[in-house]
Amino acid sequence: MIVGDGSRTSFWHDCWIASECLATKFQALYTHTMDNQISVKYALQQGLTASLVPRLSETARQECQCLQDLLQDFSLNNERDIRTGGIMGKFTTKNIYDTRLPPGISSPNWNLIWKCRAPLKVKLFAWLLVRDRLSTKQNLLKKKIVQNGVCDVCQQGDETADHMCFTCPFVQSFWERIRVNPTIQDVRLLHQLKPSPNVPELHHHVFFLLCMWAIWNHRHDVVFRGQTPSIRCCLQRCINEAALWAENLKIEDRHVGKLSPPVI
C-alpha cells in the first residue's frame, strides 16, 4: 500500500490489496473509469465516483461499493509517498508474495519450481501457470479481451490452465505419445506429480515443466502464427528444449534429457 500525501501516486496502479493492484483486483470497475491516471489524493478528495462513467454495470457497481468500504478508514498525511509492506518501508516482491499466504505458510510449489534445475524462462512460466496468471482464453475472457474462452487448439472446451496441460484432447494425445500418464489434473497440484515408469526420477519435475513449456509454445504458434495443431511439432520442440537443457547438467546426468524410446 502507498502512504503519504498521495499527490504523485497512481490510484489504480500503485495502490495494492495483497499482491494485486486495484486495477487488477477490481477489473470491472476499472473499465468504467474515465481517467486511469488519477492520483490517490484526487480519488479521496473528489470521491471515487468523480472519475467514473455515470452508469455502471451491476458488477462494477458492486465492486465500487466494496472499494469505497475499503477506503473508509484510509487517510492521507503531509509526508512523502512511501510504499509499505517491507522492512524499513522497503518494498520487495517477496513482501508481496508473503501477503498472499498466512504467516509461516509457503506455496507447496515454491521449492519445486524455484529450486529445480529448469531454465529460468521455464521457471517463470511454471510460476505463472500454477498461479493461474497465464493469458489463457478463459483469463482473457474475464478481462473482456476475447469474445469466448474456447480452446483454439481443440475447439472442444474452455481453455483454462488445467485444460491446456491435462484435459485438452490434443494434450492427452501428446502425453499418450510419450507414454506418460500425469498423476494430476490440477496445475495447483504440480508438486504432487510422480515420475512415470519411463521417465527418469532424477529431475522428473523438470521433464514435466519442459513438456508444458513446449505445449504452451505450440499453442502460441497455433493462435498467433496460424499453424495447424501437430503432435509431431510439439514433440520436436520438447525434445529440442530437453536437449539444450541437458547440456548444463553433469555428463553422467545428461541421459535424463532424452526421451526414450524415440517418439517421433
Side-chain angles (χ1 to χ4, degrees), residues 125 129 132-142 146-171 187 212 214-224 229:
F125 157 78
L129 176 69
D132 194 24
R133 293 295 186 267
L134 290 177
S135 294
T136 59
K137 287 289 288 293
Q138 271 297 299
N139 283 342
L140 293 176
L141 180 63
K142 292 177 183 177
V146 296
Q147 299 299 314
N148 65 74
V150 177
C151 174
D152 287 306
V153 176
C154 71
Q155 302 291 331
Q156 296 182 32
D158 291 338
E159 187 189 67
T160 62
D162 295 334
H163 175 88
M164 183 184 71
C165 292
F166 304 116
T167 60
C168 175
F170 174 86
V171 174
V187 294
M212 293 177 187
I215 291 168
W216 172 252
N217 279 278
H218 183 68
R219 176 257 189 200
H220 181 279
D221 290 341
V222 172
V223 174
F224 297 105

Side-chain angles (χ1 to χ4, degrees), residues 49-191:
T49 57
S51 63
L52 301 174
V53 297
R55 299 181 63 181
L56 304 179
S57 67
E58 180 60 24
T59 301
R61 188 190 64 76
Q62 293 175 4
E63 290 187 355
C64 184
Q65 183 60 55
C66 179
L67 182 53
Q68 287 178 324
D69 291 342
L70 292 172
L71 295 176
Q72 284 183 356
D73 298 325
F74 184 80
S75 60
L76 299 175
N77 56 43
N78 294 323
E79 300 178 0
R80 293 177 56 191
D81 290 341
I82 61 171
R83 297 179 182 271
T84 63
I87 300 174
M88 300 297 289
K90 185 177 180 181
F91 185 77
T92 67
T93 53
K94 183 179 185 302
N95 299 140
I96 298 178
Y97 173 73
D98 289 341
T99 63
R100 297 287 290 181
L101 297 166
I105 299 178
S106 60
S107 167
N109 289 306
W110 178 269
N111 287 340
L112 178 153
I113 293 173
W114 297 112
K115 293 187 178 181
C116 74
R117 295 294 300 274
L120 179 58
K121 63 181 181 181
V122 177
K123 292 181 180 181
L124 292 171
F125 157 78
W127 186 244
L128 293 175
L129 176 69
V130 299
R131 305 298 291 175
D132 194 24
R133 293 295 186 267
L134 290 177
S135 294
T136 59
K137 287 289 288 293
Q138 271 297 299
N139 283 342
L140 293 176
L141 180 63
K142 292 177 183 177
K143 298 177 181 179
K144 299 179 172 41
I145 296 176
V146 296
Q147 299 299 314
N148 65 74
V150 177
C151 174
D152 287 306
V153 176
C154 71
Q155 302 291 331
Q156 296 182 32
D158 291 338
E159 187 189 67
T160 62
D162 295 334
H163 175 88
M164 183 184 71
C165 292
F166 304 116
T167 60
C168 175
F170 174 86
V171 174
Q172 290 178 334
S173 297
F174 170 89
W175 294 121
E176 290 173 3
R177 186 71 171 269
I178 60 177
R179 296 196 296 178
V180 168
N181 182 25
T183 54
I184 63 171
Q185 297 287 299
D186 186 334
V187 294
R188 294 172 299 179
L189 303 178
L190 207 60
H191 60 286

Side-chain angles (χ1 to χ4, degrees), residues 194-214:
K194 304 298 182 183
S196 294
N198 62 321
V199 175
E201 185 171 355
L202 180 65
H203 303 307
H204 73 274
H205 280 122
V206 178
F207 168 83
F208 282 107
L209 295 185
L210 288 173
C211 287
M212 293 177 187
W213 171 250

